[in-house]
């Protein structure tokens, strides 16, 4: 997402600057510095060697030290933490707008300094999941998110949301008089399929996402234990395309057991092209996630015409309408029935139905940026 914003803003040809927060203060670079940053992030060039300041901070991870050194060498402005407003005020055009596209810089220090320099502030808030589903979060995540939303409430002039469902979720936690909202669907870029090192045998079902409590893959393990007990060697494979995140040891132990048994297969570290190949050959995409701010895998599957079984979430209803098969319960029984329907021949009917149905609207990053820039 940040790369999409970076590329889109650079393509406008208007003056654009990038602000980086480091342990030593802030670094401001112009378009030339942002081009270097983009090229280093995408592998078109190497990061610069570590500079003197980087060598003084021995505990700083080497990749981060090189990245900061690269930006420092191209800085058009630098300051300590307390000097942000003055640095921005003497460097940026008077009508500048600050766009924050991630959650990492949502602090009173950063947003307050930007606002004190006279800039309008627009913040893209991805979701309110830590507030609405705190039991699915890593320890410490919720208090940090509360502080970030307090900074947004205090300083943001515009809050950018990807859909109405996310806006409604965020608005429940913020003072409605504090900011205006902009609804701008995120861009979806479909990767070209790429070869797999060890392609799976058909049939298989696919789940894409980090393995953690919010994504709810434990429910799929329950379903596959039931399928394996009933179908034996005829049971399809479940492929979990994603790295292990955090969760209870019992879940990971079950995953280890099913992986060894061969009914469940983990595939992590895949390229976008490899995931596209997996998705194109899947009987269906399974997405039992308890909460989503957007849900890229489900949208991409719909755009590729792949059958979808997913949790009945407002965001999916808004974006995809009647395309997926919705399961309104987290109970294994309903999910087993939905999977059984596809295995018993419903998959062919479902694919034919989806082939006849209109694909969902395919937003682009250009259209997203046009909406955002017109509103701020």
């Amino acid at each position: 997402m940040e790369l999409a914003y970076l590329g889109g803003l650079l393509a406008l040809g208007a003056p654009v600057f990038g602000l980086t927060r480091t342990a030593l203060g802030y670094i401001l670079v112009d378009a030339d510095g942002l081009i270097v940053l983009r090229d280093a992030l995408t592998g078109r060039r190497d990061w610069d060697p570590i500079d003197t300041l980087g060598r003084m901070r021995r505990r700083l991870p080497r990749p981060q030290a090189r990245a900061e050194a690269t930006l420092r060498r191209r800085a058009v402005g630098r300051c300590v933490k307390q000097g942000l407003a003055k640095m921005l005020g003497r460097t940026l055009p008077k009508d500048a707008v600050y766009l924050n596209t991630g959650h990492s810089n949502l602090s009173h220090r950063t947003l307050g300094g930007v606002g004190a320099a006279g800039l309008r502030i627009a913040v893209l808030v991805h979701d309110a999941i830590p507030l609405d589903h705190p039991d699915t979060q890593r320890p410490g995540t919720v208090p940090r998110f509360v502080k970030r939303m307090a900074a947004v409430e205090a300083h943001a002039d515009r809050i950018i949301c990807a859909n109405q469902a996310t806006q409604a979720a965020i608005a429940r936690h913020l003072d409605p008089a504090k900011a205006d909202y902009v609804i701008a669907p995120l861009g979806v870029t479909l990767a070209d399929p790429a070869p797999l090192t060890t392609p799976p045998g058909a049939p298989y079902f696919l789940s894409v996402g980090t393995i953690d409590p919010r994504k709810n893959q434990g429910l799929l393990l329950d379903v596959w234990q039931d399928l394996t007990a009933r179908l034996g060697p005829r049971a399809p494979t479940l492929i979990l395309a994603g790295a292990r995140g955090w969760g209870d040891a019992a879940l990971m132990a079950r995953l280890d057991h099913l992986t060894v048994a061969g009914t469940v297969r983990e595939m992590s570290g895949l390229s976008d092209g490899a995931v596209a190949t997996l998705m194109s050959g899947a009987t269906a995409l399974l997405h039992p996630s308890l909460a989503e701010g957007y849900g890229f895998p489900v949208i991409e599957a719909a755009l590729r015409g792949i059958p979808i079984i997913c949790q009945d979430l407002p965001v999916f209803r808004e974006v995809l309408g009647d395309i997926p098969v919705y399961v309104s319960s987290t109970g294994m029984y309903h999910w087993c029935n939905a999977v059984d329907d596809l295995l018993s021949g419903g998959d062919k009917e479902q694919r034919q139905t989806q082939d006849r149905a209109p694909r969902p609207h395919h937003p682009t990053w250009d259209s997203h940026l046009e909406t955002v820039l017109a509103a701020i």
Side-chain angles (χ1 to χ4, degrees), residues 122-196:
V123 175
L124 175 60
V125 179
H126 298 210
D127 55 63
I129 292 172
L131 303 180
D132 292 333
H133 300 273
D135 54 318
T136 67
Q137 303 298 299
R138 291 177 182 270
T141 296
V142 175
R144 288 195 299 272
F145 194 81
V146 169
K147 291 180 180 178
R148 289 168 178 170
M149 290 301 99
V152 170
E153 184 176 65
H155 303 289
D157 300 294
R158 298 286 189 275
I159 297 176
I160 306 163
C161 301
N163 47 68
Q164 297 283 352
T166 298
Q167 178 195 348
I170 295 168
R172 287 197 296 269
H173 301 282
L174 300 183
D175 183 343
K178 290 296 184 180
D180 293 328
Y181 290 88
V182 179
I183 304 299
L186 303 179
V188 180
T189 303
L190 294 181
D192 294 328
L196 291 167

Side-chain angles (χ1 to χ4, degrees), residues 224-292:
W224 249 255
Q225 283 184 313
D226 175 81
L227 281 174
T228 302
R230 289 190 287 112
L231 301 179
R234 295 185 294 110
T237 301
L238 170 64
I239 295 180
L240 302 179
R244 294 191 183 193
W246 74 283
D248 62 274
L251 172 64
M252 300 306 171
R254 290 178 62 207
L255 184 55
D256 288 336
H257 172 74
L258 289 170
T259 301
V260 171
T263 54
V264 176
R265 181 176 171 185
E266 291 182 77
M267 300 180 71
S268 62
L270 299 175
S271 67
D272 291 344
V275 173
T277 298
L278 278 176
M279 192 174 287
S280 297
T283 300
L285 178 81
L286 306 181
H287 203 75
S289 181
L290 300 174
E292 292 289 349

Side-chain angles (χ1 to χ4, degrees), residues 271-338:
S271 67
D272 291 344
V275 173
T277 298
L278 278 176
M279 192 174 287
S280 297
T283 300
L285 178 81
L286 306 181
H287 203 75
S289 181
L290 300 174
E292 292 289 349
Y294 201 57
F296 278 109
V298 178
I299 296 171
E300 290 177 13
L303 290 170
R304 295 183 186 278
I306 305 304
I308 302 161
I309 304 174
C310 65
Q311 200 70 21
D312 194 354
L313 301 180
V315 62
F316 295 150
R317 291 282 186 178
E318 178 183 340
V319 176
L320 297 177
D322 295 331
I323 292 176
V325 173
Y326 293 105
V327 182
S328 58
S329 169
T330 56
M332 184 185 74
Y333 172 80
H334 299 280
W335 277 84
C336 284
N337 283 346

